[in-house]
Amino acid sequence: MIEILTAAEVAEAARTGAVVGDILQALRQRCEPGTNLLDIDRWAERMIREAGAQSCYVDYVPSGFGRGPFGHYICTGVNDAVLHGRPRDQRLADGDLLSLDLAVVRNGVAADAAISFVVGDVVDAESAPLIAATERALAAGIAAARPGARIGDLSHAIGTVLTEAGYAVNNEFGGHGIGSTMHQDPHVPNSGRPGRGYRLRPGLRLAL
């Protein structure tokens, strides 16, 4: 379902997004060599509750794979692990590439974001350019997202940055719509052709 938000809901979405951003940055500051992934999950749970929000993940049951609810409050991916990894009893090492993905709902509006960063002082030669390229790709997708544009315009902008940086593009994952629930249509592939796909309109929210 493609959900179009009212002006009031868009304002609430900005506030919910700020909650997600603040929590992610607070967690980033607390992550250091020796930090356990399960501690990150507990910190996220407490911060979500203190913000008056609810986790989109803890009771989430993915369709098509996995068993039962996700059972955690944040997704953690270490080094080459997939982004939507479950927190487990693992301590971070100096130089680990950590991805944190967080989604919450507050006052009926959801927000979803992720960050990737290197833990500690040792920066792997592959991690820094990967992070920089994905940040540029995100910025390009945001710049292309305007009323009247099509999903293909966003996908093309994102994919161009990634391929020019030398990375293969996977369209199985990508961005998506978000409104009162975490995952909604339309799907936003990581590469595409300009002028193709759903036409954007005011009130449509996307997580890229």
Side-chain angles (χ1 to χ4, degrees):
M1 179 185 72
I2 295 177
E3 187 173 350
I4 304 299
L5 274 61
T6 66
E9 289 170 332
V10 169
E12 187 61 44
R15 291 188 285 270
T16 307
V19 168
V20 170
D22 289 346
I23 292 175
L24 287 174
Q25 291 303 322
L27 291 172
R28 178 176 184 170
Q29 294 300 315
R30 297 188 69 170
C31 291
E32 58 186 22
T35 297
N36 194 301
L37 299 183
L38 294 176
D39 287 334
I40 299 173
D41 191 51
R42 284 188 283 267
W43 297 337
E45 177 186 6
R46 183 168 64 250
M47 292 177 189
I48 291 169
R49 295 186 188 280
E50 289 174 349
Q54 297 81 44
S55 169
C56 291
Y57 290 154
V58 67
D59 295 323
Y60 178 64
V61 180
S63 60
F65 62 94
R67 296 190 187 93
F70 184 74
H72 294 277
Y73 292 82
I74 193 166
C75 297
T76 55
V78 181
N79 297 324
D80 58 353
V82 295
L83 175 62
H84 299 112
R86 281 188 172 97
R88 57 181 178 150
D89 186 10
Q90 175 183 346
R91 294 192 178 277
L92 296 169
D94 198 355
D96 276 345
L97 174 61
L98 177 64
S99 294
L100 300 177
D101 189 347
L102 179 69
V104 306
V105 61
R106 183 174 177 271
N107 296 332
V109 181
D112 180 4
I115 56 172
S116 296
F117 55 93
V118 175
V119 177
D121 300 320
V122 177
V123 180
D124 181 79
E126 295 182 355
S127 297
L130 174 64
I131 293 172
T134 53
E135 288 179 345
R136 293 197 307 273
L138 174 62
I142 291 172
R146 56 187 182 275
R150 292 187 178 274
I151 292 296
D153 300 328
L154 278 67
S155 298
H156 178 73
I158 293 168
T160 297
V161 171
L162 295 175
T163 54
E164 288 181 351
Y167 295 103
V169 178
N170 184 329
N171 279 333
E172 180 181 357
F173 298 102
H176 53 81
I178 184 170
S180 58
T181 59
M182 175 174 57
H183 292 148
Q184 298 182 358
D185 291 331
H187 174 65
V188 184
N190 288 319
S191 67
R193 297 177 62 182
R196 299 294 181 90
Y198 180 82
R199 187 182 297 276
L200 307 187
R201 53 179 290 190
L204 174 69
R205 292 177 63 233
L206 299 172
L208 300 180

